[in-house]
């Protein structure tokens, strides 16, 4: 039977191709361990993986990358939410208003490509954090709008690892240690 390999038909019977369908739990290197065939005279094919090797290797990756840490910060750390009883600042609550920037920093458990995240409903490109050459440390900045109110919220991380697996994020399991409250209201006397 003629084989079509790399868009070329081979009728010599010397070139063959096998296709392996990747399973959902397959990970790691693809290992070729044995061949089974006979020639026209009935002689079994021999294969020695120590002397016959491929010039290319294949690594299987079916594991989704995940966001493993998130942290909110602002460009105005002097504004804080105060405890009404004691007057002391809440160290985990930050305050912003129109025009100020909120930065979401996040880490992933493996290299991801072109991550995006939604902050207050706006989808933003994330950029690699300064000094990161691993593709796992990212940040996205959001400028507070005049109609923003309440808490800054983030969701909908979008990215893929080099194998094409989509990123996952569980906001309940990976919360930010800080929250950011928007206050665009003028005080009244």
């Amino acid at each position: 039977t003629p084989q079509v390999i790399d868009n070329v038909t081979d009728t010599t019977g010397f070139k063959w191709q096998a296709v392996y369908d990747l399973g959902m739990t397959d990970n790691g290197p693809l290992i070729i361990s044995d061949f089974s065939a006979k020639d026209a005279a009935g002689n079994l094919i021999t294969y020695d993986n120590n002397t016959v090797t491929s010039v290319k290797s294949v690594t299987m990756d079916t594991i989704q990358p995940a966001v493993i840490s998130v942290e909110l910060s602002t460009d105005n750390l002097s504004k804080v939410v105060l405890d009404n009883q004691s007057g002391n600042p809440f160290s985990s609550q930050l305050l912003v208003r129109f025009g100020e920037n909120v930065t979401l920093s996040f880490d992933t458990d493996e290299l991801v490509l072109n991550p995006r995240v939604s902050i207050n409903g706006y989808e933003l490109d994330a950029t690699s954090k300064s000094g990161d050459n691993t593709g796992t440390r990212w940040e996205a900045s959001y400028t507070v709008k005049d109609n923003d109110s309440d808490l800054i919220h983030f969701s909908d991380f979008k990215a893929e690892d080099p194998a094409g697996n989509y990123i996952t994020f569980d906001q309940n399991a990976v919360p930010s240690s800080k929250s950011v409250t928007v206050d665009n209201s003028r005080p009244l006397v």
Side-chain angles (χ1 to χ4, degrees):
T1 305
Q3 295 289 310
V4 178
I5 301 172
D6 295 329
N7 296 321
V8 176
T9 301
D10 175 61
T11 57
T12 65
F14 289 108
K15 294 182 180 180
W16 295 92
Q17 174 175 293
V19 177
Y20 176 76
D21 290 325
L22 188 62
M24 288 301 294
T25 58
D26 288 338
N27 281 298
L30 179 65
I31 299 170
I32 301 168
S33 60
D34 196 13
F35 288 90
S36 177
K38 295 179 184 179
D39 66 11
N43 299 307
L44 290 174
I45 191 170
T46 59
Y47 168 69
D48 180 358
N49 64 359
N50 293 316
T51 59
V52 179
T53 59
S54 175
V55 294
K56 294 182 182 178
S57 64
V58 175
T59 300
M60 299 176 286
D61 179 2
T62 59
I63 298 173
Q64 291 181 284
V67 175
I68 56 172
S69 71
V70 293
E71 187 71 31
L72 287 168
S73 62
T74 71
D75 60 355
N76 190 346
L77 297 177
S78 64
K79 294 181 184 173
V80 294
V81 177
L82 299 176
D83 181 331
N84 288 334
Q85 300 294 325
S86 69
N88 293 326
F90 288 112
S91 62
S92 63
Q93 295 179 357
L94 305 173
L95 194 61
V96 293
R97 66 184 202 98
F98 169 71
E100 295 177 340
N101 294 311
V102 175
T103 300
L104 171 66
S105 299
F106 62 97
D107 293 343
T108 59
D109 62 352
E110 66 174 288
L111 167 77
V112 294
L113 307 172
N114 307 315
R116 297 178 63 79
V117 63
S118 291
I119 301 178
N120 270 23
Y122 292 88
E123 190 171 284
L124 305 168
D125 290 324
T127 57
S128 184
K129 289 181 83 172
S130 178
D132 177 47
N133 60 1
T134 64
T136 62
R137 302 184 71 224
W138 302 93
E139 60 188 7
S141 291
Y142 172 76
T143 302
V144 177
K145 313 292 185 267
D146 60 355
N147 61 343
D148 284 334
S149 62
D150 299 322
L151 290 173
I152 295 288
H153 59 276
F154 55 91
S155 61
D156 298 332
F157 286 85
K158 295 180 181 175
E160 295 179 13
D161 67 11
N165 298 306
Y166 294 106
I167 197 165
T168 62
F169 173 64
D170 181 350
Q171 194 158 4
N172 294 322
V174 187
S176 175
S177 64
K178 294 186 177 6
S179 65
V180 178
T181 301
V182 177
D183 184 356
N184 280 329
S185 302
R186 292 177 179 235
L188 298 174
V189 178

